[in-house]
Amino acid sequence: MSNVISGKELSKEIRKNVKKRVEELKNEYGKSPHLAVILVGDDPASLSYVTAKERACLRAGMKSTLIRKEISITETELLQEIEKLNNDNGVHGILVQLPVPKHINTNKVIDAIDYRKDVDGFHPLNIAYLHMGRKAIYPATPKGIMTMLASTKVDIEGKSALVIGRSNIVGKPVAMLLLKENATVTIAHSRTRNLKELALQSDIIVAAVGRPNMVTEDMVKPGAIIIDVGVNRVGDKLVGDVDFDNVKDKAAFITPVPGGVGPMTIATLLENTIETFLVCENDK
Ligand code: NDP
């Protein structure tokens, strides 16, 4: 049996389940979940992300609206656009593709989205609820990672987990989700002095740094579970933060790059859109 957790396969399964659920919701509520995505400017990477999200929504039978705004849009105008979507009963999920141009304050944008429609799970209320262990919309990448861990059927409770990286979109929320599952969690970052020592003690390692092959075979305890979030371009290849080829045989489970955490993110975004749909429709 392979010890590689395929995000490609797992995400297909999630999309299939989401599609089935959307059908049920259509019958029950007479409408399907509707995600509105705002893209400011025409950065090619951002455009390709939002296009992928839109395609995934449509394939799942959801409604998706892409709202494109000129890079010259003012902060006030963008906040007004968000407010319009907040008040639109036909919109269940709102996502503003980040980064926004420098003249716009990212925090103001995140704060402006109704937290009940916040499919990215970046709103301070959703983050606070996550930290409090209350029901919340969880950020897609960390939630997708938890789905990958669950797919191994390994009980996380009591396991030692090391999260390398402390960003608001990956490191911190994934640490909270691991804690919620009763792992004993350590968060490492660029000032951590004894990374190898910490890694060698860990049953689970989540690497979310953005440095190619920084987790090497000599840092991994035999039988550990390794989740590689990193996406790094080396020449014309995409590689993760983990030296996959050499760590693979030592780990009980490991995620590849590409085809690992990446595909889980959009699939999980679809799951989040179903969640926000239910909150919006049942809150009326
Ligand atoms: P950030 O740049 O926001 O955070 C990187 C973190 O790594 C920081 O907390 C930083 O520490 C830490 N770090 C840097 N150098 C070291 C080091 N030598 N040892 C230990 N920790 C270190 O990145 P993101 O969290 O946004 O993303 C991380 C990676 O995951 C990137 O490669 C990104 O492309 C990828 N990613 C992939 C996604 C997917 O869907 N597959 C989604 C999101 C991200 P400090 O805080 O001290 O600076």
Side-chain angles (χ1 to χ4, degrees):
M1 203 185 82
S2 166
N3 67 343
V4 177
I5 311 172
S6 168
K8 216 169 146 187
E9 292 306 314
L10 207 50
S11 64
K12 267 191 210 154
E13 221 172 285
I14 294 175
R15 285 169 197 243
K16 212 169 86 190
N17 291 339
V18 165
K19 195 171 178 183
K20 204 169 132 229
R21 187 78 184 108
V22 168
E23 271 311 308
E24 290 167 3
L25 293 174
K26 267 191 205 161
N27 290 334
E28 202 175 326
Y29 292 87
K31 58 177 108 170
S32 49
H34 179 192
L35 174 67
V37 178
I38 301 181
L39 172 64
V40 181
D42 49 13
D43 173 67
S46 293
L47 183 58
S48 111
Y49 290 140
V50 297
T51 309
K53 288 168 190 175
E54 195 176 22
R55 206 181 309 129
C57 277
L58 297 177
R59 277 197 191 145
M62 292 183 185
K63 210 173 146 191
S64 168
T65 304
L66 173 58
I67 301 161
R68 294 196 62 175
K69 293 289 171 190
E70 296 290 332
I71 197 151
S72 56
I73 189 173
T74 65
E75 186 179 277
T76 309
E77 285 166 343
L78 180 59
L79 296 180
Q80 281 166 351
E81 191 67 42
I82 294 170
E83 192 53 24
K84 237 171 39 193
L85 296 173
N86 285 343
N87 295 326
D88 185 341
N89 285 337
V91 169
H92 307 100
I94 304 170
L95 184 159
V96 179
Q97 184 64 41
L98 300 178
V100 285
K102 285 199 173 62
H103 66 275
I104 296 171
N105 182 327
T106 306
N107 286 339
K108 281 194 189 169
V109 170
I110 292 172
D111 294 359
I113 296 171
D114 183 334
Y115 77 99
R116 289 162 301 192
K117 296 188 178 186
D118 169 35
V119 285
D120 264 337
F122 293 163
H123 189 282
L125 260 185
N126 279 316
I127 307 277
Y129 287 161
L130 165 62
H131 281 242
M132 293 161 86
R134 285 172 58 172
K135 191 172 161 20
I137 308 293
Y138 302 142
T141 303
K143 185 173 163 183
I145 290 170
M146 298 310 289
T147 307
M148 295 183 110
L149 285 172
S151 78
T152 67
K153 305 272 195 299
V154 173
D155 189 5
I156 295 173
E157 180 161 323
K159 295 275 190 303
S160 54
L162 174 68
V163 178
I164 316 177
R166 57 173 164 179
S167 71
N168 287 328
I169 62 166
V170 189
K172 283 185 210 159
V174 85
M176 281 303 136
L177 289 172
L178 285 162
L179 190 61
K180 192 167 170 286
E181 295 303 318
N182 299 316
T184 303
V185 184
T186 303
I187 305 177
H189 45 79
S190 66
R191 320 291 160 84
T192 299
R193 297 215 175 113
N194 52 343
L195 187 63
K196 183 175 173 183
E197 202 179 302
L198 294 169
L200 275 169
Q201 291 163 12
S202 303
D203 301 311
I204 300 166
I205 297 177
V206 179
V209 176
R211 282 187 67 196
N213 301 327
M214 72 167 289
V215 176
T216 46
E217 180 266 339
D218 59 335
M219 294 168 73
V220 172
K221 174 166 132 176
I225 302 178
I226 312 294
I227 307 287
D228 191 353
V229 189
V231 180
N232 309 291
R233 189 163 284 285
V234 176
D236 57 358
K237 265 184 79 182
L238 277 191
V239 300
D241 290 347
V242 177
D243 178 5
F244 182 86
D245 290 338
N246 294 309
V247 171
K248 184 174 163 285
D249 293 333
K250 212 166 178 188
F253 294 97
I254 186 166
T255 65
V257 176
V261 173
M264 295 297 288
T265 300
I266 290 188
T268 308
L269 183 75
L270 298 178
E271 289 184 322
N272 279 357
T273 308
I274 288 187
E275 273 193 49
T276 57
F277 172 89
L278 289 171
V279 170
C280 290
E281 289 301 320
N282 296 333
D283 247 19
K284 278 180 183 166

